[in-house]
């Protein structure tokens, strides 16, 4: 008889009345039964539980869709299932944590580089460029450059009349989460 069999038998016989059996990574764990007397969940906890329920629905959808399941299988680690990775991906969105606008000289073809990451993968990055009045000059998708592990955005047109005063970098992950990083910088009339 294995250790798990003994624990299960003791639980079934009522010899562990204040315990709960849990399974984690194919191991049977015995934990103390939780106490919920006078417990009031906070708004943050309620919202997190709702998001987790949606994440579980998403994970089941991923397992049912062969192409999505295959995409997640590329990123699973040892002792990790597609289901748990999909939940983790749904719960955590991508991050934009770096950019290089030194190549921006207002000419078509100038490059702007964006560094974005995710716990699974970043699927898309978009760049929006605004003038000093907050009006959109241009927007389009950046393209991933695997050799430098950054996303490159090339200007679609010359910015002769209007100089950029702000950039919005938006990144998406496999679960459809997105995040936006807004970058503003001061501009001077002199030298324009």
């Amino acid at each position: 008889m294995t250790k798990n069999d003994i624990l299960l038998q003791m639980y079934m016989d009522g010899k562990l009345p204040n315990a709960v059996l849990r399974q984690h990574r194919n191991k049977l764990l015995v934990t103390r039964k939780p106490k919920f007397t006078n417990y009031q969940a906070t708004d943050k906890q309620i919202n997190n539980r709702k998001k987790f329920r949606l994440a579980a629905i998403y994970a089941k959808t991923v397992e049912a869709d062969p192409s999505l399941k295959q995409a997640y299988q590329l990123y699973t680690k040892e002792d990790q299932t597609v289901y748990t990775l999909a939940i983790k991906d749904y719960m955590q969105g991508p991050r934009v944590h770096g950019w290089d606008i030194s190549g921006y000289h207002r000419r078509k073809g100038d490059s702007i580089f964006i560094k974005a990451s995710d716990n699974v993968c970043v699927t898309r990055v978009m760049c929006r460029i605004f003038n000093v009045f907050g009006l959109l000059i241009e927007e389009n998708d950046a393209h991933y450059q695997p050799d430098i592990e950054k996303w490159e955005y090339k200007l679609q047109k010359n910015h002769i009349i209007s100089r950029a005063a702000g950039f919005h970098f938006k990144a998406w992950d496999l679960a459809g989460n997105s995040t936006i990083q807004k970058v503003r910088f001061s501009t001077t009339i002199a030298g324009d």
Side-chain angles (χ1 to χ4, degrees):
M1 215 172 193
T2 67
K3 187 178 177 182
N4 285 352
D5 293 336
I6 294 168
L7 285 173
L8 188 57
Q9 189 61 48
M10 287 175 68
Y11 183 77
M12 298 297 278
D13 290 344
K15 293 179 181 174
L16 301 172
N18 293 324
V20 175
L21 294 181
R22 298 174 192 254
Q23 187 173 356
H24 180 69
R25 293 188 181 175
N26 296 327
K27 292 181 183 176
L28 193 61
L29 303 174
V30 179
T31 61
R32 180 177 48 86
K33 187 183 275 187
K35 297 177 183 174
F36 292 106
T37 56
N38 299 324
Y39 175 75
Q40 188 71 29
T42 65
D43 288 342
K44 188 175 178 180
Q45 288 171 321
I46 292 168
N47 289 336
N48 202 40
R49 288 174 187 165
K50 287 178 185 175
K51 187 172 182 179
F52 192 83
R53 277 193 288 276
L54 293 173
I57 292 168
Y58 174 72
K60 288 176 185 173
T61 304
V62 167
E63 284 190 321
D65 183 332
S67 61
L68 260 178
K69 186 174 183 176
Q70 185 178 14
Y72 274 99
Q73 282 173 333
L74 295 173
Y75 300 100
T76 56
K77 296 176 183 162
E78 197 174 313
D79 291 336
Q80 188 177 38
T81 65
V82 168
Y83 183 84
T84 57
L85 184 62
I87 285 178
K88 194 174 182 181
D89 192 28
Y90 189 92
M91 295 295 288
Q92 182 180 336
R95 287 183 46 219
V96 174
H97 47 82
W99 52 87
D100 178 4
I101 54 176
S102 63
Y104 173 72
H105 304 290
R106 304 186 327 185
R107 291 185 299 275
K108 181 178 180 177
D110 286 352
S111 291
I112 297 168
F113 294 96
I114 304 110
K115 182 78 173 165
S117 66
D118 185 59
N119 58 339
V120 177
C121 75
V122 176
T123 58
R124 180 179 173 208
V125 173
M126 176 188 257
C127 179
R128 301 179 88 195
I129 304 174
F130 296 88
N131 67 15
V132 292
F133 303 108
L135 299 173
L136 183 67
I137 298 173
E138 72 175 64
E139 70 177 342
N140 214 329
D141 286 341
H143 300 283
Y144 186 67
Q145 303 298 329
D147 53 327
I148 58 173
E149 296 182 352
K150 293 182 182 173
W151 294 77
E152 181 181 21
Y153 178 79
K154 288 191 178 271
L155 292 188
Q156 307 297 307
K157 60 185 177 183
N158 290 325
H159 297 178
I160 297 169
I161 298 173
S162 193
R163 183 186 189 117
F167 297 88
H168 291 183
F169 304 119
K170 189 172 185 179
W172 285 266
D173 68 5
L174 202 53
N177 297 315
S178 66
T179 190
I180 191 164
Q181 179 69 49
K182 297 177 181 180
V183 180
R184 294 196 56 76
F185 62 95
S186 60
T187 56
T188 57
I189 306 280
D192 266 354

